[in-house]
Amino acid sequence: MVDRPIREWNGLTIPDPGVYTLDEAHKRLGFLAQHMMVSPVRGEFARGSATIVVAEDPMRSTVRATIDTTSITTHNADRDKHLSSPDFLDVQRYPTIEFRSTGVQWQQNNDAIFMWARLRNNPLSRRATDLPAAKPSGKFTVDGLLTIKDVTRSVALNVEYGGARRDPYGRDIFGFSAWAEFEREDFGLVWNVLLDSGGFLVGKTVRIEIAGEAILETPERA
């Protein structure tokens, strides 16, 4: 019996072509921002969906995602209410955040270059034949358009591919994690308070943190 998926690409086992959706049971749609310039505050959106179309040529794959802004939580009721208000996300007027990919790039592995640099700096420490083979890179950049409060800006997601396999329920899946940073004021999220000691109450840079598994829904027909 063949344990799918079986495709190989640049040393990686990758998912078969088809339409994949984000698994509700294995996902995190999170964010991070600085509070008073000294400490990170993490939060997440409990509801969201994503569709990933894996192409025959992986570099032509696409992603579309929607986040339900009304599901925001930082595990603090007062803060969640403020983030949901017109000062920030204004969830009554803008109930979703949208992302649409525009391109995929593979970040080729540079480990071998660094190994040779170390060997050159200390040629007696190791022989060339002792150098381990460089692991294939599972890192990608997914360029796309992020829309918050009807404002759309370009962002780049840094994606770490986790691998593909068939799960115990017979479903073809693959895993990933991703992050991106953007300036919230670019999307009209400008509320802040100037601190007497300098700086601002809420950091202007927001980091998106996404992790999950995608399940094959529709295989690509030959």
Side-chain angles (χ1 to χ4, degrees):
M1 184 176 70
V2 177
D3 185 18
R4 297 168 61 90
I6 58 174
R7 285 210 298 168
E8 296 292 326
W9 181 84
N10 288 336
L12 298 170
T13 300
I14 65 172
D16 286 335
V19 178
Y20 293 73
T21 56
L22 191 62
D23 183 6
E24 281 291 319
H26 300 93
K27 68 175 176 63
R28 181 178 184 273
L29 306 171
F31 61 90
L32 178 151
Q34 288 294 113
H35 177 249
M36 297 189 69
M37 313 297 291
V38 296
S39 63
V41 172
R42 293 183 183 274
E44 62 185 4
F45 296 93
R47 295 185 295 275
S49 61
T51 299
I52 305 165
V53 179
V54 176
E56 184 66 38
D57 175 0
M59 295 297 93
R60 298 181 66 85
S61 299
T62 60
V63 181
R64 293 190 74 99
T66 299
I67 292 173
D68 180 350
T69 60
T70 67
S71 68
I72 190 171
T73 177
T74 61
H75 306 288
N76 179 287
D78 289 338
R79 183 167 55 222
D80 294 347
K81 183 178 180 180
H82 192 195
L83 291 173
S84 299
S85 76
D87 283 344
F88 287 98
L89 292 174
D90 196 359
V91 302
Q92 295 303 313
R93 293 182 62 195
Y94 307 102
T96 64
I97 292 172
E98 306 286 338
F99 175 81
R100 175 177 62 84
S101 68
T102 57
V104 180
Q105 303 173 60
W106 180 47
Q107 299 179 20
Q108 296 189 41
N109 202 332
N110 292 321
D111 288 351
I113 295 175
F114 296 134
M115 288 180 183
W116 281 110
R118 290 195 296 269
L119 182 64
R120 184 181 63 181
N121 292 334
N122 191 6
L124 298 180
S125 62
R126 301 188 69 179
R127 297 175 301 169
T129 54
D130 293 332
L131 288 172
K135 295 181 180 179
S137 171
K139 296 180 179 181
F140 298 82
T141 300
V142 177
D143 298 312
L145 298 174
L146 180 66
T147 301
I148 302 175
K149 296 179 72 172
D150 277 355
V151 178
T152 301
R153 296 283 186 269
S154 298
V155 297
L157 280 175
N158 300 280
V159 179
E160 182 80 34
Y161 172 64
R165 64 185 309 137
R166 175 160 287 177
D167 73 8
Y169 304 101
R171 303 175 302 181
D172 290 342
I173 66 171
F174 69 90
F176 66 92
S177 60
W179 65 271
E181 290 186 346
F182 63 87
E183 300 301 307
R184 62 183 179 87
E185 291 185 349
D186 292 343
F187 293 88
L189 308 176
V190 298
W191 184 92
N192 225 327
V193 173
L194 184 64
L195 301 174
D196 292 339
S197 57
F200 294 93
L201 180 65
V202 183
K204 296 184 179 183
T205 300
V206 177
R207 181 184 177 100
I208 302 171
E209 300 173 330
I210 304 168
E213 294 177 4
I215 304 172
L216 178 64
E217 298 291 337
T218 308
E220 184 179 271
R221 291 182 172 85

